[in-house]
Amino acid sequence: MVFMHNSTMNLLAISGTYRKGGTIDRLIDHAIEGARAADPRIEVERVQLIDQRIEYCRNCMACKKDDPAKPYARCVIDDDMQSIYPLIERADAYIFGTPVNMAHETAVMKTFLERVCWVFSRPSPRWRPLKGCPEPRSSRKKKAGIIVSSGLVPPLLRIFCDEATSLLKSTCGCVLNAKVVGSFYAGAVHARGVEPYLEKAFNLGRALVD
Ligand SMILES: Cc1cc2nc3c(=O)[nH]c(=O)nc-3n(C[C@H](O)[C@H](O)[C@H](O)COP(=O)(O)O)c2cc1C
């Protein structure tokens, strides 16, 4: 008997830029194009964080204490994150995009990640030093791609101007159970523009599906 697989991949793109249609949004567009080129059937959701009402985490720890068997914990804050959580849960792959502002992800991206942290992870029961650190609630293996842009600092000097990628990578690994299959830094876009990085973005999207 032949089993037909018609399940399509669900891709969630999350943009942390303040400028709609700017560098990060164009790179995310190309990554989505690359993913669609690899598989036209994929379903794509896109969240523009700046358009959402996202409050700060209150450190109430209700999510951290919630039943560790749940696929994602309940957050007590009644804002737009409540409709984003199911999208995060459903996704098979993620694209995260953020400019670096003062060498870090944007404040809206950080606010978002803090609201994701203990909702999608639970304290690890393993021995020290990992005991109590976040481990993903989901056992479903996912994939992720990370895009970071900077205005001034070129790729060669990235080490001085990119704290964003490491935070996104650790969130993918420790919280979302997502393997980072591609990541790049679009440096010095004020001088270079976005064009030199479009192909990288396309290839990153394709790698998420391949
Ligand atoms: C408050 C602020 C801080 C910034 N800090 C840096 C920085 O540390 N290094 C840098 O190269 N660019 C910096 N930039 C420039 C942004 O990284 C750049 O404008 C952004 O990557 C462009 O992406 P966008 O078109 O999606 O906004 C900063 C921009 C702002 C508004």
Side-chain angles (χ1 to χ4, degrees):
M1 184 183 278
V2 176
F3 289 95
M4 297 295 286
H5 290 277
N6 60 359
S7 58
T8 56
M9 182 192 222
N10 193 295
L11 174 65
L12 176 62
I14 296 166
S15 172
T17 185
Y18 296 136
R19 295 196 302 182
K20 281 199 260 177
T23 309
I24 282 297
D25 282 352
R26 286 191 62 197
L27 294 172
I28 288 177
D29 288 345
H30 274 254
I32 292 171
E33 268 184 38
R36 285 210 165 106
D39 180 357
R41 298 167 309 159
I42 60 164
E43 288 168 18
V44 180
E45 298 273 1
R46 191 180 176 130
V47 175
Q48 200 77 35
L49 293 178
I50 199 66
D51 287 341
Q52 310 293 318
R53 190 172 61 83
I54 303 177
E55 292 183 21
Y56 295 124
C57 170
R58 297 174 190 164
N59 197 0
C60 72
M61 288 294 133
C63 57
K64 191 176 172 188
K65 291 180 206 140
D66 202 357
D67 180 358
K70 281 189 182 177
Y72 64 100
R74 196 176 88 82
C75 173
V76 300
I77 303 174
D78 182 17
D79 64 3
D80 290 346
M81 284 303 289
Q82 297 302 337
S83 48
I84 300 174
Y85 289 139
L87 303 181
I88 297 173
E89 160 61 13
R90 194 185 321 144
D92 304 297
Y94 306 97
I95 298 170
F96 290 99
T98 182
V100 287
N101 284 0
M102 302 161 89
H104 293 256
E105 63 289 340
T106 55
V108 69
M109 177 60 86
K110 182 71 189 303
T111 304
F112 166 79
L113 293 173
E114 287 178 355
R115 292 288 303 284
V116 164
C117 176
W118 286 111
V119 168
F120 284 89
S121 69
R122 59 189 173 206
S124 169
R126 282 188 282 178
W127 291 106
R128 281 188 296 173
L130 290 174
K131 193 172 167 65
C133 290
E135 68 169 21
R137 284 170 173 265
S138 172
S139 56
R140 190 153 63 91
K141 291 218 182 310
K142 305 185 176 202
K143 291 182 185 175
I146 295 169
I147 304 171
V148 165
S149 71
S150 84
L152 302 170
V153 179
L156 208 57
L157 301 174
R158 170 187 190 171
I159 188 170
F160 301 112
C161 193
D162 178 18
E163 303 291 340
T165 300
S166 63
L167 174 64
L168 286 164
K169 278 186 175 168
S170 57
T171 304
C172 287
C174 302
V175 176
L176 297 170
N177 208 17
K179 181 175 187 252
V180 178
V181 298
S183 165
F184 73 92
Y185 171 93
V189 294
H190 291 173
R192 298 179 181 190
V194 74
E195 281 71 19
Y197 302 108
L198 294 179
E199 195 182 335
K200 280 190 174 171
F202 188 91
N203 290 340
L204 182 145
R206 210 165 46 187
L208 281 173
V209 179
D210 283 345

